[in-house]
């Protein structure tokens, strides 16, 4: 670390500067700016060496401070450039489906204070949890780990639509381990953050899609869960298939064919509404979607099974 060693002389200069103020202060005395005659008089002229030394030290101190500022600014620029480089690598690995390599890259920076790094850490932790080879114990730990990263991302930047989105997703995941009461209570928070993500970025198809899932989930909630919800909450969350369909279509309009699951859920929602023709249209698209991930493969299988049953 060369930077700290370079700063030491500057810091020493600054300490020297504090001492050099004393001769100047004595020279000005109580007369302040009005004491020009005393400043030029024999009282000071007879002792010019300490004054000159103090003036020199003050000048060096100022130059040292200016140098320190330049170095500090350069360090910030360097740090920003490094974060941008990491984000670029992370996005490339994500688009390439290199989930484990992405996790290995980002966990090196888990103590980061950068919101963009943190929400990506939340996303990749969750993706590792979703892998079929991840044990149940590891999955649970990763789900809570992801929530912590998402929470920190949101704390660092409340204007980040992605931080809101991944915070909502991670809260939803944690609900699977904390019981029906917590899961229903969290639904209000989840909806709030999805809506905020959409507000901050209306062109993010994923946030819109997730709002559709929220509606679909509560539209198909089993009767016994509805009963529990009514006992626990005066106004339990609710929605309809029509509302879910609206969000799924809106997501598709923003970014056509962006996600295999959106295609599948369009098909499934039309099935719930007894529109087999449109259900088949979207299920065929889901079945034919190129499989880049394990989830895509699962969706292809489910779409094929639903088509067989039509």
């Amino acid at each position: 670390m060369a930077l700290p060693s370079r700063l030491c002389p500057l810091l020493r200069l600054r300490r020297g500067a504090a001492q050099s103020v004393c001769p100047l202060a004595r020279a000005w005395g109580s007369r302040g700016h009005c004491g020009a005659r005393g400043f030029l008089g024999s009282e000071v002229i007879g002792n010019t060496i300490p004054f000159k030394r103090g003036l020199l030290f003050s000048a060096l101190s100022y130059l040292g401070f200016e140098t320190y500022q330049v170095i500090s600014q350069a360090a910030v620029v360097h740090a920003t450039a490094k974060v941008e480089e990491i984000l670029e690598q992370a996005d490339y690995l994500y688009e390439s489906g290199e989930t484990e390599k992405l996790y290995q890259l980002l966990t090196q920076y888990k103590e980061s204070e950068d919101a963009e790094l943190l929400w990506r850490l939340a996303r990749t932790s969750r993706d590792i949890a979703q892998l079929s080879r991840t044990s149940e114990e590891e999955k649970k730990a990763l789900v809570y780990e992801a929530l912590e990263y998402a929470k920190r991302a949101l704390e660092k930047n409340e204007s980040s639509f992605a931080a809101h989105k991944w915070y909502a997703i991670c809260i939803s995941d944690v609900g699977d381990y904390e019981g029906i009461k917590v899961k229903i209570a969290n639904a209000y928070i989840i909806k709030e953050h999805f809506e905020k993500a959409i507000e901050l970025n209306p062109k993010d198809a994923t946030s819109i899609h997730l709002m559709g899932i929220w509606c679909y989930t509560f539209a198909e909630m089993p009767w016994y869960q509805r009963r529990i919800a009514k006992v626990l909450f005066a106004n339990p969350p609710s929605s309809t298939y029509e509302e879910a369909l609206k969000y799924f279509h809106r997501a598709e309009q923003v970014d056509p064919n962006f996600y295999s699951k959106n295609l599948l859920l369009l098909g499934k929602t039309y099935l719930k509404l007894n529109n087999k023709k449109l259900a088949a249209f979207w299920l065929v698209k889901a079945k034919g979607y190129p499989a880049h991930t394990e989830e895509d493969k699962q969706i292809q299988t489910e779409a094929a099974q639903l088509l067989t049953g039509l």
Side-chain angles (χ1 to χ4, degrees), residues 142-161:
L142 285 162
V143 161
Y144 280 93
E145 181 183 317
L147 177 60
E148 184 59 31
Y149 292 138
K151 183 180 178 182
R152 284 171 54 202
L154 198 55
E155 287 170 353
K156 297 303 174 186
N157 185 3
E158 290 188 355
S159 297
S160 167
F161 82 92

Side-chain angles (χ1 to χ4, degrees), residues 18-58:
Q19 295 169 355
S20 69
V21 171
C22 298
L24 282 173
R26 286 195 295 271
W28 284 101
S30 61
R31 290 185 287 271
H33 291 286
C34 298
R37 193 161 66 107
F39 179 64
L40 295 173
S42 59
E43 177 185 347
V44 176
I45 291 172
N47 192 23
T48 58
I49 292 173
F51 168 72
K52 288 178 180 178
R53 187 181 296 124
L55 189 61
L56 176 61
F57 283 175
S58 294

Side-chain angles (χ1 to χ4, degrees), residues 196-263:
K196 186 63 177 178
I198 294 169
E199 178 190 326
L200 290 167
N201 186 1
K203 296 298 182 183
D204 181 52
T206 309
S207 297
I208 301 167
H209 163 81
L210 291 167
M211 194 62 233
I213 290 181
W214 190 95
C215 296
Y216 186 94
T217 300
F218 284 99
E220 73 164 359
M221 180 184 280
W223 66 267
Y224 65 90
Q225 288 188 3
R226 289 182 192 277
R227 182 172 291 180
I228 294 169
K230 285 180 182 178
V231 170
L232 296 173
F233 303 96
N235 296 302
S238 63
S239 190
T240 64
Y241 291 117
E242 287 82 2
E243 193 173 4
L245 194 65
K246 179 186 73 175
Y247 280 110
F248 294 141
H249 271 299
R250 182 178 166 188
E252 206 61 32
Q253 288 165 3
V254 167
D255 191 0
N257 295 314
F258 75 102
Y259 186 25
S260 60
K261 192 169 185 178
N262 199 65
L263 302 174

Side-chain angles (χ1 to χ4, degrees), residues 105-125:
L105 169 69
L106 291 179
T107 48
Q108 296 176 65
Y109 308 99
K110 61 184 179 181
E111 302 303 324
S112 172
E113 299 295 309
D114 189 277
E116 292 296 305
L117 270 172
L118 289 168
W119 73 252
R120 284 171 171 82
L121 255 169
R123 180 181 65 183
T124 191
S125 299

